[in-house]
Amino acid sequence: MATGPKVATSPLEVLRNDGTRAAPIWNKYWGPIICGGLGFLGVVAANWAIRRPLMSGIQTHVLVTAGGAAIGKYVDDYRNEYLAERDAVFRHYVDLHPEDFPEFARKKYSEVLEPWVPIR
């Protein structure tokens, strides 16, 4: 019984997600949190620049934060669609040209590392 992560034996296995690799939960919320936070800080900085109380006009804070989060979500979705299409093109190319992508050869460290010789 093998333990640990599954080791890919072919290039197609590297490009396919068979459900064993899940994206971290943080990836789902990263863009909206950052863009919403930048929007909020932008309104606070604008209030500071015009010498108003930092939290005055709270409706502006809410709207800009929500707008920034929506923009962050849109950018994340666009990026995910772009990367999925790119990976599909890679998979298709590997399917069409299997002779250019041989099976991976497993090597031991003893075959890869050179003998160590100390410097005098």
Side-chain angles (χ1 to χ4, degrees), residues 10-67:
S10 72
L12 280 176
E13 286 183 31
V14 173
L15 293 172
R16 289 202 172 109
N17 186 4
D18 55 358
T20 58
R21 294 175 295 188
I25 190 77
W26 185 248
N27 286 6
K28 185 176 181 180
Y29 303 110
W30 175 253
I33 288 173
I34 294 299
C35 291
L38 286 175
F40 180 82
L41 290 176
V43 173
V44 170
N47 282 347
W48 176 79
I50 59 175
R51 298 193 174 269
R52 290 176 64 188
L54 297 181
M55 296 303 285
S56 67
I58 195 70
Q59 71 279 2
T60 309
H61 290 72
V62 172
L63 290 174
V64 171
T65 301

